[in-house]
């Protein structure tokens, strides 16, 4: 009988639940982990890539555009980086929506979209799919790392139901419970970006299923303020830069070290 | 009264040796009355392309915002910066969309395009208010002082000028042309685009 | 005839507009307030075609207020100015354009500096240190070229404004009688008596 309430997102079950939304969230909790930490002078984002294979052609990602391999971490606007967990196809559609919304704000107000407003724009759409017309909700949670002159650096999370919330440090995807309790223990209110990078990478290495931490499994991004222009500067790391960072933080496996030297 | 002369203003772009320059005045007027001496009509499109929009000031602002929107969406989706030739056609088609109720501007653009060998090729172009492209090899002019700019540029410009000499040539061309035009002047801004940097200088001009 | 001025100084913007409401050659009212408070730190002086002015000013006022209610903080002066400019630019190419000229003075609480924008009915917008609309602009702008000081205190700024008003009263045949003067700074908006 319960199945009668599964087929439509728009129908409550007798216990007052929307099963499709809960299933969407369940799907996300199996996706690659995305982790964000808000620091005093920036925001740090890291993501675990699940699907990798030797035959997957990553050549475009190696030297493409603004960095990153375009799977988990995306530039949403010049002042916001987004990290996604869930169905990749749904995520692509949401990212496209976010980028258009941000550019539309720039067009009408001649200023970068405030971070919370961008999160709201996406949540308005996500909420719509929980209510109208027998459609499937977006199977995607997002982290937004951004900067605006109103509240400076910010970190938001949004889920398939269209709820969003601001965080000092949070995590979505597989093992998010473990990561969140680790972050709760280690987070300090006046943390700086350089320490936040270490915190993110250490938490990531403890929560990830795989034993090795390297650019083929990890995406990484930092949002800071440019020292000269005082404008937000989004840096999405390229694979080589991630390896260099892991090496510097001493988180790369020994055998990988020798591989790097050999290569 | 023509809408092209309502606010005043002029732009010129020139080709040099592996470099280009684009310059404009800074006046915004209400016919003969000067309103602002810091009205920018040249906008950076990418690190290597600049666009000058002389003409009706309301359309200058509107088009600047529209081109920024289009180029930003292009950059983020293509994951690369737009090439000057491509951008020129974007400008042209945007203006032609309004063929029978045009934006009153005459865009001038300058940039460096990439060659397959990895070096750069200077690029300048201008269009009329409905988007007819003019790919010149030497210099392009537009605005209320365009007739005067043609004269001075014809006399001063020579092929293969180095960046510093090109700066001097374009500055003298603009400064002297706008001094003969009542609707342009009140200071100038000059951008010289080379392979590894863009040098922007603001020039003092006669304030009459 | 209608005249409005605005002057920036150290941490403030003064906006002044005449208070006459005229139809043809007849003064209908002499205490009309033509400066709207759009948000806690934003002033807008409007002039132009009667009817259009009030209609457009209220349209702007309500939309700026709506943004503030929806987003918990008001638009910054530059963003508000861009939105208003776009509204006029779109109206220009509509069947019946608004014929309204504006001076927009605001204090940006995020970057802590005063902003002044000159906007006309075509949708022309420029940020300026001082501005004027109407016949008074022909006298006031040249006077402000000589006497304006961006570092002036409020008292000095008001004295400069007084010079403009006196000059217009002295030389303009159709000079307005009274002005309303408002100031916006860090503490918000208040009306001042000259």
């Amino acid at each position: 009988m319960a199945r009668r309430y599964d087929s439509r997102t728009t129908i409550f079950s007798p216990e007052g639940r929307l099963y499709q939304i809960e299933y969407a969230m369940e799907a996300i909790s199996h996706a690659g982990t995305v982790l964000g930490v808000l620091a005093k002078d920036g925001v740090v984002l890291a993501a675990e890539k699940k699907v990798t294979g030797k035959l997957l052609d990553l050549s475009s990602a190696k030297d493409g555009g603004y960095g990153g391999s375009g799977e988990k971490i995306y530039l949403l606007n010049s002042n916001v980086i987004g990290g996604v967990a869930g169905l990749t196809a749904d995520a692509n559609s949401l990212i496209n929506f976010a980028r258009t919304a941000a550019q539309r704000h720039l067009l009408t107000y001649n200023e970068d979209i405030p971070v919370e407003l961008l999160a709201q724009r996406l949540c308005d759409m996500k909420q719509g799919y929980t209510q109208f017309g027998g459609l499937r909700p977006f199977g995607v949670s997002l982290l937004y790392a951004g900067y605006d002159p109103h509240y400076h650096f910010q970190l938001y999370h949004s889920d398939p139901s269209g709820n969003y919330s601001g965080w000092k440090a949070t995590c979505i995807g597989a093992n998010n419970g473990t990561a969140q309790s680790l972050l709760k223990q280690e987070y300090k209110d006046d943390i700086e970006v350089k320490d936040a990078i270490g915190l993110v990478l250490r938490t990531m290495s403890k929560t990830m299923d795989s034993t090795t931490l390297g650019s083929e499994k990890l995406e990484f991004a930092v949002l800071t303020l440019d020292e000269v222009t005082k404008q937000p500067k989004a840096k999405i790391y390229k694979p080589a830069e991630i390896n260099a960072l892991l090496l510097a933080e001493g988180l790369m496996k020994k055998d990988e070290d020798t591989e790097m030297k050999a290569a | 009264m023509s809408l092209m002369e309502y606010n005043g203003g002029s732009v010129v772009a020139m080709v040099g040796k592996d470099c280009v320059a684009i310059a404009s005045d800074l006046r915004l007027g209400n016919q003969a009355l000067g309103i602002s001496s810091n009205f920018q009509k040249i906008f950076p499109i990418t690190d290597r392309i600049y666009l000058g929009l002389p003409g009706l000031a309301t359309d200058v602002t509107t088009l600047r915002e529209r081109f920024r929107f289009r180029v930003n969406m292009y950059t983020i989706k293509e994951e690369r910066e737009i090439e000057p030739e491509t951008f020129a056609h974007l400008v042209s088609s945007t203006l032609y969309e309004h063929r029978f109720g045009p934006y009153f501007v005459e865009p001038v653009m300058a940039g460096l395009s990439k060659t397959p060998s990895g070096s750069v090729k200077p690029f300048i172009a201008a269009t009329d208010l409905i988007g007819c492209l003019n790919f010149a090899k030497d210099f392009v002019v537009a605005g209320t002082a365009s007739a005067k700019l043609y004269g001075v540029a014809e006399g001063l410009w020579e092929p293969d000028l180095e960046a510093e000499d090109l700066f001097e040539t374009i500055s003298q061309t603009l400064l002297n042309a706008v001094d003969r035009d009542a609707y342009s002047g009140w200071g100038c801004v000059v951008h010289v685009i080379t392979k590894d940097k863009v040098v922007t200088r603001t020039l003092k001009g006669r304030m009459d | 005839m209608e005249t409005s001025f605005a002057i920036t100084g150290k941490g403030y913007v003064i906006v002044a507009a005449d208070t006459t409401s005229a139809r043809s050659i007849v003064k209908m009212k002499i205490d009309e307030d033509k400066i709207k408070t759009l948000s806690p730190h934003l002033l807008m002086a409007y002039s132009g075609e009667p009817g259009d002015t009030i209609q457009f000013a209220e349209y702007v006022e309500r939309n700026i207020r709506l943004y503030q209610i929806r987003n918990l903080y008001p638009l910054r002066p530059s963003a508000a100015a861009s939105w208003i400019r776009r509204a006029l630019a779109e109206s220009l190419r509509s069947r019946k354009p608004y014929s309204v000229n504006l001076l927009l003075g605001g204090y940006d609480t995020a970057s802590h500096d005063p902003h002044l924008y000159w906007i006309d009915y075509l949708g022309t917008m420029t940020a300026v240190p001082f501005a004027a609309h109407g016949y008074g602009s022909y006298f006031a702008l040249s006077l402000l070229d000589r006497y304006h000081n961006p570092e002036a205190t409020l008292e000095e700024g008001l004295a400069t404004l007084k010079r403009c008003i006196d000059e217009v009263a002295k030389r303009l045949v159709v000079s307005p009688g009274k002005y309303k003067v408002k100031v916006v700074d860090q503490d918000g908006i208040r009306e001042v008596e000259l």
Side-chain angles (χ1 to χ4, degrees):
Chain A
M1 280 294 276
R3 297 212 109 200
R4 287 167 58 188
Y5 306 100
D6 285 11
S7 58
R8 298 233 175 117
T9 54
T10 50
I11 303 290
F12 280 108
S13 79
E15 312 93 81
R17 294 158 65 172
L18 292 167
Y19 281 124
Q20 287 295 321
I21 309 292
E22 292 181 20
Y23 297 158
M25 300 217 198
E26 182 60 26
I28 289 159
S29 67
H30 296 298
T33 317
V34 184
L35 210 146
V37 170
L38 179 67
K40 204 170 58 180
D41 50 351
V43 201
V44 184
L45 225 53
E48 177 194 5
K49 285 193 283 185
K50 280 266 177 177
V51 241
T52 44
K54 278 203 157 46
L55 293 178
L56 190 65
D57 189 354
L58 294 167
S59 56
S60 66
K62 287 251 158 59
D63 40 29
Y66 47 80
S69 55
E71 244 185 78
K72 303 286 287 179
I73 293 181
Y74 297 85
L75 189 68
L76 299 183
N77 199 33
S78 58
N79 63 327
V80 191
I81 311 173
V84 297
L87 297 180
T88 311
D90 285 17
N92 283 335
S93 148
L94 277 177
I95 283 153
N96 181 240
F97 180 85
R99 286 170 171 176
T100 314
Q103 287 302 315
R104 236 183 8 244
H105 186 97
L106 182 66
L107 187 68
T108 28
Y109 298 110
N110 200 20
E111 69 171 12
D112 281 330
I113 190 164
V115 191
E116 190 174 354
L117 201 57
L118 183 62
Q120 277 179 11
R121 289 277 172 283
L122 265 91
C123 285
D124 284 350
M125 182 159 85
K126 289 213 232 184
Q127 190 280 142
Y129 281 81
T130 69
Q131 192 169 186
F132 299 111
L135 296 163
R136 173 173 72 75
F138 283 96
V140 182
S141 271
L142 284 108
L143 290 189
Y144 312 79
Y147 175 89
D148 65 53
H150 295 283
Y151 295 121
H152 305 285
F153 291 104
Q154 293 151 78
L155 176 68
Y156 291 96
H157 162 234
S158 76
D159 70 17
S161 70
N163 274 326
Y164 76 92
S165 42
W167 295 84
K168 291 172 179 173
T170 191
C171 176
I172 52 176
N175 299 325
N176 67 75
T178 330
Q180 253 160 20
S181 52
L182 277 168
L183 288 170
K184 209 189 286 178
Q185 280 167 23
E186 295 209 28
Y187 187 83
K188 289 180 193 68
D189 266 331
D190 55 348
I191 195 167
E192 286 182 23
V193 162
K194 58 180 194 315
D195 302 321
I197 290 174
L199 173 60
V200 164
L201 289 175
R202 265 181 284 120
T203 318
M204 213 58 192
S205 75
K206 281 177 198 160
T207 41
M208 269 163 66
D209 294 334
S210 52
T211 46
T212 57
L213 207 56
S215 63
E216 67 280 1
K217 283 269 194 287
L218 196 71
E219 285 193 34
F220 194 79
V222 179
L223 187 86
T224 46
L225 273 196
D226 190 291
E227 275 172 27
V228 187
T229 62
K230 298 289 170 208
Q231 293 299 307
K233 188 174 73 178
K235 178 163 173 56
I236 300 178
Y237 283 60
K238 290 181 190 299
E241 294 170 322
I242 294 177
N243 284 333
L245 188 72
L246 287 170
L247 214 56
E249 292 286 329
L251 283 165
M252 200 170 249
K253 280 264 167 161
K254 268 283 168 302
D255 52 345
E256 296 245 332
D257 282 5
T258 46
E259 254 180 53
M260 287 276 290
K261 273 167 201 157
Chain B
M1 182 215 50
S2 162
L3 286 174
M4 295 298 288
E5 279 97 51
Y6 185 79
N7 298 120
S10 302
V11 179
V12 55
M14 285 179 173
V15 167
K17 190 170 189 299
D18 298 324
C19 59
V20 283
I22 182 166
S24 80
D25 68 327
L26 289 169
R27 182 178 179 271
L28 171 85
N30 215 272
Q31 309 205 74
L33 174 69
I35 297 295
S36 171
S37 55
N38 190 216
F39 186 76
Q40 301 288 342
K41 333 171 162 53
I42 299 183
F43 307 102
I45 300 299
T46 68
D47 294 348
R48 296 288 165 268
I49 307 173
Y50 279 69
L51 170 70
L53 293 166
L56 191 66
T58 177
D59 291 344
V60 171
T61 314
T62 305
L63 277 174
R64 177 271 155 95
E65 288 168 352
R66 287 194 53 169
F67 285 134
R68 184 176 56 188
F69 180 90
R70 295 288 296 272
V71 170
N72 282 353
M73 289 312 286
Y74 181 101
T75 313
I76 210 157
K77 283 189 174 167
E78 291 274 324
E79 296 192 18
R80 67 185 170 87
E81 289 195 332
I82 197 166
E83 286 297 312
E85 288 82 356
T86 322
F87 178 68
H89 282 95
L90 172 65
V91 171
S92 170
S93 57
T94 305
L95 291 182
Y96 196 78
E97 273 176 30
H98 301 270
R99 170 65 180 80
F100 298 108
Y103 287 119
F104 294 95
V105 289
E106 290 182 334
V108 167
M109 54 220 106
L112 294 175
S113 55
K114 282 201 199 96
T115 61
S117 63
S119 61
V120 291
K121 192 163 103 355
F123 174 92
I124 55 163
T127 90
D128 65 5
L129 76 167
I130 52 168
C132 174
L133 277 164
N134 163 23
F135 300 108
K137 290 189 172 55
D138 42 11
F139 52 81
V140 282
V141 301
T144 51
S146 59
K148 296 108 187 171
L149 279 163
Y150 268 124
V152 195
E154 209 78 71
L156 293 184
W157 185 86
E158 46 192 285
D160 294 326
L161 286 166
E162 295 292 338
E164 271 311 302
D165 299 329
L166 185 69
F167 165 74
E168 198 60 31
T169 307
I170 198 168
S171 302
Q172 289 301 336
T173 304
L174 186 69
L175 246 14
N176 289 290
V178 297
D179 279 354
R180 280 284 175 189
D181 181 31
Y183 298 110
S184 301
W186 272 21
C188 297
V189 63
V190 184
H191 308 272
V192 181
I193 310 166
T194 54
K195 191 164 174 286
D196 28 50
K197 64 174 189 292
V198 179
V199 178
T200 301
R201 293 188 179 96
T202 307
L203 309 178
K204 276 188 177 165
R206 286 173 63 118
M207 297 301 282
D208 56 1
Chain C
M1 294 290 246
E2 283 196 310
T3 290
S4 48
F5 309 112
I7 306 171
T8 59
K10 199 170 172 56
Y12 65 84
V13 186
I14 307 170
V15 182
D18 72 282
T19 56
T20 41
S21 177
R23 199 111 319 156
S24 170
I25 55 164
V26 185
K27 277 183 186 170
M28 310 294 278
K29 198 165 180 277
I30 53 154
D31 57 354
E32 174 97 335
D33 184 355
K34 291 189 259 191
I35 308 173
K36 263 214 180 326
T37 299
L38 297 183
S39 76
H41 293 92
L42 193 61
L43 284 171
M44 180 175 80
Y46 53 91
S47 56
E49 181 87 11
D52 280 11
T53 48
I54 292 171
Q55 191 71 21
F56 184 76
E58 287 185 358
Y59 169 74
V60 168
E61 184 185 30
R62 284 358 299 179
N63 272 98
I64 301 276
R65 180 76 187 116
L66 178 63
Y67 185 100
Q68 192 178 338
I69 293 166
R70 273 190 178 153
N71 301 300
L72 307 172
Y73 46 79
L75 276 171
R76 300 171 72 189
S78 62
S82 297
W83 184 86
I84 295 166
R85 190 209 76 82
R86 172 60 62 77
L88 281 170
E90 278 173 5
S91 150
L92 182 69
R93 286 186 161 85
S94 71
R95 199 177 52 79
K96 176 71 174 69
Y98 286 113
S99 189
V100 186
N101 298 318
L102 308 167
L103 294 177
L104 208 68
Y107 184 85
D108 192 333
T109 47
S111 62
H112 301 287
D113 49 358
H115 291 265
L116 172 60
Y117 299 93
W118 181 96
I119 303 174
D120 76 1
Y121 72 102
L122 299 167
T124 313
M125 179 173 93
T126 181
V128 281
F130 51 83
H133 273 304
Y135 282 117
S137 67
Y138 294 98
F139 303 91
L141 288 183
S142 47
L143 197 142
L144 286 165
D145 277 330
R146 172 66 183 80
Y147 292 106
H148 177 259
N149 171 13
E151 293 298 308
T153 61
L154 183 59
E155 289 67 36
E156 291 166 331
L158 287 169
T160 310
L161 175 70
K162 191 80 172 45
R163 273 181 187 272
C164 294
I165 290 172
D166 290 347
E167 185 67 16
V168 171
K170 186 176 177 184
R171 295 289 173 183
L172 186 64
V173 179
V174 282
S175 67
K178 269 178 64 196
Y179 290 84
K180 201 173 259 292
V181 184
K182 294 185 186 180
V183 174
V184 56
D185 60 15
Q186 192 169 317
D187 308 321
I189 289 165
R190 63 189 178 280
E191 196 180 326
V192 291
E193 290 295 327
L194 273 186

